[in-house]
Amino acid sequence: MTATSTLLTLLVIAASGFVLARARALACAGGDSRALHSLPGHYGWASVLLTLGPALALFALLKIAAPPTPAGTLAVLALALAALAWSLRRTRPNFRARQTVERGVLALLMLAACVAIATTAGIVLSMLFETRNFFAQYDWREFFLSTTWAPRFQGDSDLGILPLLWGTLYISLIALVFAVPVGLFAAIYMAEYAGGRFRAIVKPAIEVLAGIPTIVYGLFALITVGPLLRDYFAQPLGLGTSGASVMTAGLVMGVMLIPFVSSLSDDIIAQVPQSLRDGSLGLGATRSETIRQVVLPAALPGIVGAVLLAASRAIGETMIVVLGAGAAAKLGLNPFEAMTTITVKIVSQLTGESDFAAPETLVAFALGLTLFAITLSLNVLALAIVRKYREQYE
Amino acid sequence: MKDTLTEGRGTAADTAKIAVRGLQVHYGDTHAVRDVDVDIPDRAVTALIGPSGCGKSTFLRCLNRMNDTIPAARVTGEIRIDGEDIHDARVDPVQLRAKVGMVFQKPNPFPKSIRDNVAYGPKIHGLTRKRSELDEVVEKSLRRAALWDEVKNRLDAPGTGLSGGQQQRLCIARAIATSPEILLMDEPCSSLDPIATAQIEELIDELRSRFAVVIVTHSMQQAARVSQRTAFFHLGRMVEYGDTGKLFTNPADPRTESYITGRIG
């Protein structure tokens, strides 16, 4: 018997348990559901939970512990049937079926909430193990403090994170410098000034930006923005001849981030109570004074949250950088030079023939963990800022 | 108080601070205020009473053109303050609102410190040049709003951290800091407990020595306690307007009598 058919059989048993328990409860009460402690349906669901819960747990245990055997399958089905019989025996008018169902629902919800935590923990652990392997072969001081990134597959590589970190932060900074004002101003216009019809068209249009795959943005950077910047800015100013540059990737990434900033800020600005605006207008403030001095300060925690969320996205972005900024690891200030980021190098270290014991491959996990640490601290910072200002403003 | 107003519909009076003629307000398809004529005296408290939805708050919001901020609202008719029509093209609603302060139903302190709340109006209107002048205005306004003693040691604490009654007095201080000539109050005590209400009422009584105060209230006792003139609104019309004592003891219109004796409303 395959796992699928076992599960289907379990479902059939549980379904019959629902019907039987419900009918039995009603029969016990002589057809008058008011004589029961709970609704008839509760008895049915309680039976389903009691039947499925232990059987599924056993099924999962056997699945992890050993290859599927007919004996194991039979044990699972036997357990389900036994639980069904027991639950039917318990179905009496004074059985507190409602409480059982409520506890079952609670357990289900808790399980769902734990999935996220378990996944995060799993990711961190797997990265930690590989990172430990990496640092066993490569000095951590070299990794964090060296300014050269020069992996060689014959060995003896320089794997300093600084050029990559610098590229990541530089490109993200340019992206944010572009996206935050544009996104915020768009949000202010939409929340405070725009009429219903304009809003109905522009808001979805901006959100379409968020739906464009980043590889498409990358193409846009590669074939349009890059050459444009090279021909009209970099070359006339004598700053470089490269189409791939920090500026290209930063600007295109900025466009990608606009909807994150504007959409969230718009919602937050719209939530500022109208009474505050009335109060300010009633004192003879103009609309822009009201926005600048009352609405924005009140919305600030949310806006900071939106900006930091955008920053996390920028730091983790890969495709736009590969196509827009190139893959050359460099420490430099010229924004029209090609540079690269942590994410791009993670990809390039892991693609092709990778030997998972060599530091040149394992470095990817150390890079990934560093990236994770950076975005995590940004998120924690965002939460802390939001909390601090919320106390002050509400 | 100079009182040359006659009973019933307010008619021309030399002392009228605000003269309203033929005022109509529409919200979309709703005719919220109909044919209101009234003269509101200076340096006195005028109460507007009436059942919910009778148009009294809408009427109040006409006096500083706050209805301009509601796209669906349409106001026609004439409102003169000191003889000048506030709907005249030369009148800037922003300037008008500096002259006609407003206190709202729910206390709405800004998310700023107590000091910055009061200093908000003077700052945006550039009324003070030096920090010391501004501090003076803040202190004077808070004193007039009977709040100074409670907050003088924590002017930098957020205004939102005060109690409801204190918040409302802060909003009054904020309104009078721009030195308005008229103070509009839209049910200023409706969210406050009786003690805070008594404090605000006492304050209103003091304010009338400097301002023309127009107060919307649901409480007839409050109207009787704080006002010198009362207008009764019903279904968008001003049914009766006159001396507060007279209106409550000997109303001219049967609808007023029904309302003040609790039969409608």
Side-chain angles (χ1 to χ4, degrees), chain A residues 275-276 280-281 283-285 293 393, chain B residues 94 97 108-109 111-112 120 125:
Chain A
S275 66
L276 286 184
S280 175
L281 293 172
L283 286 169
Q293 307 204 22
Y393 284 137
Chain B
V94 166
R97 291 181 201 138
N108 55 351
K112 296 172 183 292
Y120 186 83
H125 295 298

Side-chain angles (χ1 to χ4, degrees), chain B residues 148-256:
Chain B
W148 175 252
D149 290 331
E150 289 157 66
V151 301
K152 62 183 173 195
N153 295 323
R154 47 173 175 149
L155 289 175
D156 292 312
T160 44
L162 298 173
S163 73
Q166 290 174 324
Q167 286 190 6
Q168 195 60 300
R169 276 179 283 153
L170 178 63
C171 293
I172 293 173
R174 188 174 73 183
I176 58 187
T178 53
S179 11
E181 295 166 21
I182 299 165
L183 204 53
L184 309 177
M185 299 179 141
D186 190 357
E187 298 181 41
C189 303
S190 65
S191 62
L192 303 181
D193 65 51
I195 293 172
T197 301
Q199 285 172 321
I200 303 268
E201 285 180 4
E202 201 177 313
L203 175 58
I204 292 170
D205 199 48
E206 280 164 28
L207 292 175
R208 88 182 143 99
S209 63
R210 299 175 172 276
F211 310 103
V213 180
V214 187
I215 177 170
V216 165
T217 175
H218 264 298
S219 154
M220 282 175 276
Q221 289 83 350
Q222 184 170 64
R225 281 192 299 262
V226 301
S227 74
Q228 285 73 52
R229 317 268 314 164
T230 300
F232 169 62
F233 280 72
H234 186 54
L235 300 174
R237 289 178 194 283
M238 194 177 73
V239 172
E240 186 166 354
Y241 175 55
D243 192 60
T244 298
K246 172 90 173 32
L247 189 133
F248 279 106
T249 50
N250 190 13
D253 194 288
R255 285 169 292 178
T256 315

Side-chain angles (χ1 to χ4, degrees), chain A residues 82-96:
Chain A
L84 172 66
W86 184 60
S87 74
L88 285 180
R89 259 189 55 130
R90 290 221 306 174
T91 303
R92 295 211 187 78
N94 62 351
F95 171 52
R96 299 177 159 236

Side-chain angles (χ1 to χ4, degrees), chain A residues 97-146:
Chain A
R98 194 191 309 123
Q99 276 79 347
T100 309
V101 173
E102 288 295 313
R103 273 197 297 272
V105 169
L106 186 69
L108 194 73
L109 297 180
M110 269 173 71
L111 198 70
C114 289
V115 167
I117 299 174
T119 316
T120 312
I123 291 173
V124 172
L125 281 180
S126 68
M127 301 276 273
L128 265 181
F129 284 123
E130 298 294 346
T131 306
R132 203 190 51 186
N133 289 343
F134 171 69
F135 284 126
Q137 296 179 43
Y138 196 86
D139 189 11
W140 64 272
R141 275 161 298 196
E142 278 285 296
F143 176 71
F144 283 113
L145 299 173
S146 161

Side-chain angles (χ1 to χ4, degrees), chain A residues 273-287 289-294 297-298 391-394, chain B residues 61 64 66 69 94 97-98 100-102 104 106 108-112 117 120-121 124-125 158 160 174-175 178:
Chain A
Q274 185 59 33
S275 66
L276 286 184
R277 290 188 190 93
D278 283 349
S280 175
L281 293 172
L283 286 169
T286 63
R287 265 169 122 177
E289 282 165 343
T290 301
I291 291 165
R292 209 170 53 238
Q293 307 204 22
V294 176
E391 281 168 6
Q392 201 173 333
Y393 284 137
E394 276 174 7
Chain B
R61 291 169 63 93
N64 64 346
M66 273 302 273
T69 62
V94 166
R97 291 181 201 138
V100 185
M102 189 160 195
F104 295 83
K106 212 175 133 252
N108 55 351
F110 300 137
K112 296 172 183 292
N117 260 285
Y120 186 83
I124 56 174
H125 295 298
T160 44
R174 188 174 73 183
T178 53

Side-chain angles (χ1 to χ4, degrees), chain A residues 256-290:
Chain A
M256 179 195 84
L257 294 178
I258 288 173
F260 287 90
V261 179
S262 78
S263 193
L264 281 171
S265 306
D266 180 19
D267 292 346
I268 290 152
I269 290 171
Q271 278 168 16
V272 173
Q274 185 59 33
S275 66
L276 286 184
R277 290 188 190 93
D278 283 349
S280 175
L281 293 172
L283 286 169
T286 63
R287 265 169 122 177
S288 73
E289 282 165 343
T290 301

Side-chain angles (χ1 to χ4, degrees), chain A residues 18-39:
Chain A
F18 180 85
V19 176
L20 288 173
R22 191 173 180 281
R24 189 178 147 85
L26 273 175
C28 286
D32 179 12
S33 64
R34 278 172 303 174
L36 295 171
H37 170 268
S38 312
L39 293 176

